[in-house]
Amino acid sequence: MTSKPASQQADLSSIPADEEILSALLATHAQVGQIIKPTILECSPHTSLQEAAQRMSNMKVSSILVVDDDQVLGIWTERDVLKLDFNRPQLLRMPVSRVMSSPVRTVPASLSLQELAIRFSDERLRHYVVVDEQGKRCGIVSQTDVVINQGIEHYLKLRSIDTVVHRGLQCVTEDASLSEVAALMRTAGVDAIAVECSDGIWGIITERDIVRHIAGPAGTIKAGAIASKPMITVNDQSSLYRVRNMLIENRLRHIGVTHPDRGLVGIVSFRDILSSMELTYVQELQQALRERDEALSISQRNLRLAEQVIESSLEGIMVTDLSSTIISVNPAFTRLTGYRAQEVIGKTPAILSSGRHDKDFYQAMWQQVNQHGHWQGEVWNRRKNGEIYPEFLTITAIGNKAGVPTHYAALFSDITELKENEERIRQLAYYDALTGLPNRRLLEDRLSVAISHAQRHQQLLALLFIDLDRFKRINDSLGHDIGDQLLSSIAKRLCTAVRPHDTIARMGGDEFVTLLTDLNSPAQAVQIARRMLDLLQEPVNIQGHDLVVTISIGVSIFPSDGEDSISLLRNADAAMYRAKGSGRNAIQMYTAAMNARSLENLALENALHQALEKQQFELFYQPIVDAHTGKLNAAEALLRWNHADMGVISPADFLSIAEESSLIVDISDWVVETACRQLAHWNNHGYPELRLSVNMAARHFYKPDFQPFIRQTLEQSGCSPANLTLELTEHMLMDDAQKTSAQLNAMHDLGLHIALDDFGTGFSSLTHLRSFPLDVLKIDREFVRNLNDLGSRETDIIESVIGMAHKLGLRVVAEGVETLEQIHTLQGFGCELLQGYYFSPPVPAHEFEQLLAQGAFLER
């Protein structure tokens, strides 16, 4: 058979994708009643087979219902005809009820085609009687009806005819009897066979041909007589879509399939094609339905999960319609607001309004929702009990599939605790945790604002830089707990001295700064500073300890002492240090000279870095005389700096600078090494009992390798430890008593002597001193200076100190001796050693050797 034109070939570009196939399958909602024909071929149970066949042939249908008294008894089909024995023609007069199939299965007209397709596959039937809602039959449906009405073109275009040729070619010669034809069709399970004719042409006999034959006059007939010739054929690679179209166009039910090399290889019926497609269709339909059911199950689970999440959410959830009417809330909503669902459903969220937000706020909020689909931020709302609370709110527009908003969902949480934490963080960031006062950061912010305000209004403001005098001694000796309580008490007292709009800040440690604004004159700042001094004159009782703490205050004035925060703070700090230097418990106004002094100190520090390298340091020696014999008993080594440009620089001018840096350690190393070498020289050259005192710097004395350093220095210099005395101040003893005591004991173990220098300038008592391994106590020159003044208390104090020192086994050195009267008084008190300008100022080593040669300094 010739091929069809190209226009009838399969158009592969129009084949739908798998997703489209599934969509088409799932989208079909046709019912059985919509596809059946309203007419039904029926007969009585007494109708002969020949008459039944005539009716089927005339109506061109494949089955007839056997009905009695409107009851369906069975069905006789073209397939049933093959069961007859065509060698016994008399059987055609037999009633149809003898060979019909029963019972007849029914399906409701409302059944969907998808469900019907599954029934066909599961029950392996080819026909169902269709009944209406009242159970009355209204038609017959076959597998072919289902598939034709389901749209299977996509299957047909994807497959070729050879995919449905499974059973091979069944054929007979043209001389075969009808009985042989029927038997072959029955045993082979086919509904058509090929007839090989003598002229070389292939014919075909189908079930319908046999029905048509028995419907006619009885008689013996051969296969060639009833075969349709010639058989229409197609190539085995033709698409099923093209084959089906050929069958429909030629009003055929069967077509032959040929192979280029093997000729006719099989016969395919329209039912074979459709049955093959039905199987694939049903399988894919079942798969699609399973996937649909699975998707539905997942959707239901997700829905239940979403409901559980909403119900158990800690966030309040509220859903409204487009008119802002509440239609749903969750349990957390009730917990957070106090309103039950029935109290708010049908109302608007205005029931929660706190009144803190104005109309503009809400307009901006809804403008954001309408433009972007959501809004997020903090709001203040009101609970049912009237409590106003902060919440973090998210409003989202919920749309349909087209994206058109249908509802609004609001999620909110109570952020009261978060706000409280933020306030605590703000307190930590801007306030001192111990005293509750503003810290440095907040002070700088307020100072910046105050300066701007003062500039605009041409007003004065002042900074008072306050430092507690010798607070470290209290902190270390009595403990940090008492120190902290003391700081808190002092902070409270300072606050009572200022005006409500002034600021007192703690800068850290024992430093405070007061910001005074709206001043009429600098004298007003001084007045407030004096009030602070007066308030701290009264002792502070902390855990049974009556503590008196003085303060040093430096004052800078805006704009004369600085026009910015940095300058005012720096200058007030400089003035405070000047107040400390002038004796503490004092107020010092800033002056420009202080800046000059700061620059001078900077120059000194720079020069100090080169002093050791340039060998600019020198030790001077001041005699210490035996008060009873007048003989030179010992000396104190005192450091001097011989600067090339600035001349001789006193230790008072540079030691404090050195102590603030690491230079003091290197300088002290040099002092000890030089003093030990000089002492060893004198001891070895005629003065074996001469002792030498060396002043200790705190950073040097407490460095980790101090003990090895002293031991090595003694060994290398040949200095006798018994002739070397280390002098420490009261502050060094009291700063860390435990550590100091351990270090002093180690020095004693080496054979060195320990002297307490400048006794009376600190806050130590003789009771405290007995816990340290001391040998010598040196009375400060300030007491000795006023020793014989009329009404002076120093005389009694010195006498008492000397007496108690002797009871502790200490020898006493009186410093600053300048008059013979002082010498006589000290001798009367039993003071053993004297030092001062009366005997000699500090002198270089070569001049001191002249003093050694002099012998006695006092007449006996």
Side-chain angles (χ1 to χ4, degrees):
M1 183 174 179
T2 59
S3 300
K4 292 281 185 176
S7 61
Q8 296 185 20
Q9 299 300 314
D11 183 6
L12 297 179
S13 65
S14 64
I15 297 176
D18 290 345
E19 291 81 358
E20 295 173 330
I21 294 172
L22 289 178
S23 299
L25 293 174
L26 295 174
T28 304
H29 301 289
Q31 297 177 338
V32 174
Q34 296 174 300
I35 67 169
I36 59 174
K37 296 178 181 179
T39 57
I40 304 176
L41 181 61
E42 300 177 353
C43 70
S44 70
H46 306 294
T47 303
S48 68
L49 291 179
Q50 188 174 34
E51 182 180 353
Q54 289 174 346
R55 294 185 184 182
M56 290 168 61
S57 180
N58 292 337
M59 294 291 293
K60 296 183 179 180
V61 295
S62 59
S63 64
I64 185 169
L65 284 182
V66 181
V67 180
D68 185 29
D69 195 18
D70 205 32
Q71 294 295 317
V72 177
L73 303 180
I75 187 171
W76 191 54
T77 68
E78 291 177 338
R79 190 66 184 171
D80 294 328
V81 174
L82 300 180
K83 300 175 183 178
L84 297 178
D85 184 359
F86 290 97
N87 292 322
R88 301 170 62 192
Q90 65 274 17
L91 292 180
L92 295 178
R93 295 190 294 273
M94 180 174 54
V96 72
S97 60
R98 296 278 298 275
V99 294
M100 67 181 182
S101 299
S102 65
V104 180
R105 303 296 296 273
T106 63
V107 293
S110 59
L111 187 69
S112 69
L113 296 189
Q114 293 94 328
E115 294 172 306
L116 179 60
I118 295 174
R119 294 266 305 260
F120 272 127
S121 176
D122 292 343
E123 299 179 9
R124 299 183 178 277
L125 296 177
R126 295 170 65 180
H127 300 82
Y128 285 103
V129 173
V130 183
V131 297
D132 59 19
E133 294 179 355
Q134 287 74 37
K136 294 182 178 181
R137 58 190 176 280
C138 55
I140 294 179
V141 65
S142 68
Q143 283 182 314
T144 303
D145 295 326
V146 174
V147 180
I148 289 176
N149 287 277
Q150 282 292 312
I152 59 170
E153 286 77 7
H154 48 277
Y155 296 112
L156 301 179
K157 291 178 179 178
L158 290 171
R159 290 172 174 82
S160 58
I161 190 67
D162 63 342
T163 61
V164 299
V165 180
H166 302 299
R167 289 177 290 228
L169 180 65
Q170 304 297 324
C171 63
V172 296
T173 64
E174 61 182 355
D175 295 330
S177 67
L178 188 59
S179 179
E180 291 174 333
V181 171
L184 179 59
M185 294 173 66
R186 183 172 63 252
T187 56
V190 298
D191 57 359
I193 62 172
V195 179
E196 187 177 6
C197 300
S198 58
D199 56 6
I201 297 175
W202 287 97
I204 184 172
I205 297 177
T206 67
E207 290 177 345
R208 184 155 296 185
D209 291 329
I210 297 176
V211 171
R212 187 170 58 250
H213 169 70
I214 66 174
T220 302
I221 193 168
K222 299 297 183 179
I226 63 173
S228 300
K229 296 185 291 186
M231 182 193 303
I232 299 176
T233 62
V234 295
N235 184 278
D236 64 351
Q237 294 304 307
S238 301
S239 72
L240 292 181
Y241 180 74
R242 176 172 177 264
V243 171
R244 191 194 69 164
N245 288 344
M246 288 177 62
L247 292 173
I248 294 174
E249 291 169 2
N250 292 282
R251 297 180 180 277
L252 299 174
R253 298 181 66 196
H254 300 81
I255 196 167
V257 181
T258 62
H259 186 273
D261 299 325
R262 293 179 289 148
L264 186 66
V265 293
I267 298 175
V268 174
S269 69
F270 190 61
R271 183 179 64 80
D272 289 332
I273 299 174
L274 296 179
S275 295
S276 174
M277 295 304 101
E278 288 166 3
L279 177 61
T280 303
Y281 168 78
V282 169
Q283 290 173 343
E284 295 195 13
L285 177 62
Q286 288 174 331
Q287 177 64 24
L289 291 175
R290 281 195 297 270
E291 292 177 359
R292 181 200 65 180
D293 292 341
E294 183 178 354
L296 180 60
S297 176
I298 293 174
S299 177
Q300 290 173 339
R301 287 199 304 270
N302 290 341
L303 182 59
R304 287 193 297 270
L305 179 61
E307 291 175 347
Q308 291 173 355
V309 169
I310 292 174
E311 289 296 307
S312 60
S313 173
L314 298 178
E315 289 187 304
I317 300 176
M318 173 177 61
V319 180
T320 73
D321 59 18
L322 293 181
S323 62
S324 295
T325 300
I326 301 173
I327 61 176
S328 175
V329 297
N330 71 338
F333 176 93
T334 299
R335 186 179 67 254
L336 294 174
T337 68
Y339 287 102
R340 297 190 302 274
Q342 57 267 32
E343 293 178 304
V344 296
I345 291 177
K347 298 180 181 179
T348 68
I351 193 174
L352 305 174
S353 176
S354 66
R356 288 197 177 187
H357 306 291
D358 57 18
K359 183 179 179 181
D360 292 339
F361 173 84
Y362 290 108
Q363 283 182 343
M365 180 179 75
W366 283 107
Q367 183 178 1
Q368 175 80 5
V369 173
N370 294 332
Q371 289 180 354
H372 303 285
H374 65 275
W375 179 89
Q376 194 173 65
E378 296 180 5
V379 299
W380 290 86
N381 272 342
R382 187 188 303 273
R383 307 188 206 272
K384 183 180 179 181
N385 62 8
E387 177 188 355
I388 295 176
Y389 70 101
E391 67 180 34
F392 189 78
L393 173 66
T394 300
I395 301 176
T396 304
I398 308 299
N400 56 21
K401 290 183 178 180
V404 178
T406 59
H407 297 82
Y408 296 111
L411 285 76
F412 63 93
S413 57
D414 187 340
I415 57 172
T416 300
E417 185 176 352
L418 177 62
K419 287 291 187 182
E420 291 173 351
N421 289 337
E422 288 179 351
E423 178 59 25
R424 282 194 289 270
I425 292 173
R426 194 183 74 85
Q427 282 289 122
L428 292 174
Y430 291 102
Y431 290 87
D432 176 56
L434 176 63
T435 63
L437 295 177
N439 62 12
R440 176 186 290 271
R441 179 182 297 178
L442 184 53
L443 172 70
E444 290 174 349
D445 289 346
R446 291 186 179 179
L447 178 56
S448 178
V449 173
I451 290 174
S452 298
H453 182 270
Q455 286 175 333
R456 287 195 302 271
H457 299 281
Q458 296 184 341
Q459 295 177 335
L460 300 179
L461 65 82
L463 281 185
L464 310 185
F465 206 111
I466 305 165
D467 186 84
L468 275 60
D469 298 328
R470 300 187 177 94
F471 172 75
K472 189 175 187 301
R473 179 187 62 81
I474 296 175
N475 209 30
D476 291 343
S477 60
L478 299 180
H480 292 282
D481 181 49
I482 290 180
D484 288 347
Q485 293 182 53
L486 178 61
L487 285 173
S488 297
S489 297
I490 290 174
K492 292 176 182 178
R493 289 195 184 184
L494 293 177
C495 288
T496 64
V498 299
R499 301 161 299 174
H501 61 273
D502 295 329
T503 296
I504 295 184
R506 184 184 177 207
M507 303 296 281
D510 58 353
E511 293 182 338
F512 299 84
V513 171
T514 300
L515 169 61
L516 306 176
T517 59
D518 301 329
L519 296 178
N520 298 321
S521 67
Q524 193 175 0
V526 175
Q527 181 182 4
I528 293 174
R530 291 190 184 281
R531 192 182 309 151
M532 291 178 173
L533 292 180
D534 294 340
L535 285 170
L536 294 181
Q537 294 301 314
E538 291 295 323
V540 180
N541 186 277
I542 306 293
Q543 297 184 15
H545 299 275
D546 286 329
L547 305 174
V548 176
V549 179
T550 61
I551 57 176
S552 296
I553 303 177
V555 183
S556 63
I557 304 295
F558 172 88
S560 59
D561 298 334
E563 296 185 356
D564 58 77
S565 301
I566 296 175
S567 299
L568 288 171
L569 281 169
R570 182 184 63 242
N571 294 339
D573 184 43
M576 182 271 293
Y577 276 105
R578 179 55 63 89
K580 279 187 174 295
S582 64
R584 298 182 174 87
N585 193 29
I587 302 168
Q588 178 68 56
M589 301 293 291
Y590 173 77
T591 64
M594 294 179 185
N595 259 342
R597 181 63 175 171
S598 296
L599 293 174
E600 180 183 337
N601 289 344
L602 181 60
L604 284 174
E605 183 177 352
N606 291 333
L608 270 175
H609 283 278
Q610 302 177 1
L612 278 175
E613 182 180 344
K614 295 182 177 181
Q615 299 181 353
Q616 294 177 344
F617 288 121
E618 181 181 5
L619 287 184
F620 279 35
Y621 303 90
Q622 187 173 30
I624 298 176
V625 177
D626 187 308
H628 301 293
T629 66
K631 292 183 178 180
L632 197 159
N633 180 278
E636 180 179 357
L638 299 167
L639 183 63
R640 294 294 184 267
W641 179 11
N642 298 312
H643 192 276
D645 299 323
M646 292 182 280
V648 178
I649 302 174
S650 169
D653 294 326
F654 69 82
L655 280 183
S656 61
I657 298 174
E659 287 174 351
E660 292 175 2
S661 66
S662 60
L663 291 173
I664 191 64
V665 175
D666 295 334
I667 294 173
S668 297
D669 282 348
W670 181 89
V671 168
V672 173
E673 292 169 349
T674 304
C676 286
R677 286 195 300 269
Q678 184 65 66
L679 178 59
H681 173 76
W682 285 331
N683 287 160
N684 294 329
H685 291 79
Y687 305 100
E689 296 182 357
L690 179 67
R691 294 182 178 181
L692 186 62
S693 297
V694 180
N695 292 285
M696 290 289 99
R699 293 183 65 174
H700 187 233
F701 184 72
Y702 293 122
K703 71 174 184 173
D705 63 344
F706 181 75
Q707 293 181 30
F709 165 76
I710 289 293
R711 188 180 298 109
Q712 181 180 0
T713 302
L714 292 172
E715 292 174 355
Q716 292 178 350
S717 65
C719 177
S720 171
N723 289 339
L724 183 64
T725 300
L726 304 183
E727 294 190 6
L728 283 74
T729 65
E730 288 184 74
H731 295 303
M732 291 175 64
L733 292 183
M734 302 306 297
D735 279 349
D736 191 336
Q738 185 176 0
K739 184 177 180 180
T740 302
S741 181
Q743 191 79 303
L744 292 177
N745 283 320
M747 295 300 101
H748 249 200
D749 292 341
L750 290 176
L752 278 70
H753 292 266
I754 307 298
L756 176 62
D757 193 18
D758 300 333
F759 180 77
T761 60
F763 288 85
S764 62
S765 66
L766 287 171
T767 304
H768 286 140
L769 297 183
R770 65 183 176 183
S771 60
F772 298 102
L774 300 177
D775 301 291
V776 178
L777 186 146
K778 300 185 73 172
I779 299 175
D780 186 73
R781 69 186 69 251
E782 295 297 327
F783 289 94
V784 176
R785 179 183 303 161
N786 302 320
L787 180 61
N788 296 111
D789 291 350
L790 184 63
S792 171
R793 298 176 55 193
E794 276 78 355
T795 302
D796 295 334
I797 293 174
I798 290 178
E799 184 179 14
S800 298
V801 169
I802 293 174
M804 294 186 68
H806 288 163
K807 290 180 181 180
L808 293 174
L810 304 178
R811 292 190 301 161
V812 179
V813 177
E815 295 181 305
V817 176
E818 297 180 356
T819 66
L820 187 59
E821 186 180 7
Q822 292 171 341
I823 294 174
H824 291 159
T825 302
L826 291 168
Q827 287 174 335
F829 292 157
C831 181
E832 292 94 340
L833 300 168
L834 306 175
Q835 178 182 352
Y837 274 68
Y838 180 85
F839 306 107
S840 172
V843 295
H846 67 279
E847 293 185 21
F848 184 77
E849 291 176 355
Q850 297 175 9
L851 296 177
L852 285 172
Q854 179 179 331
F857 283 82
L858 292 174
E859 295 182 2
R860 299 187 66 180

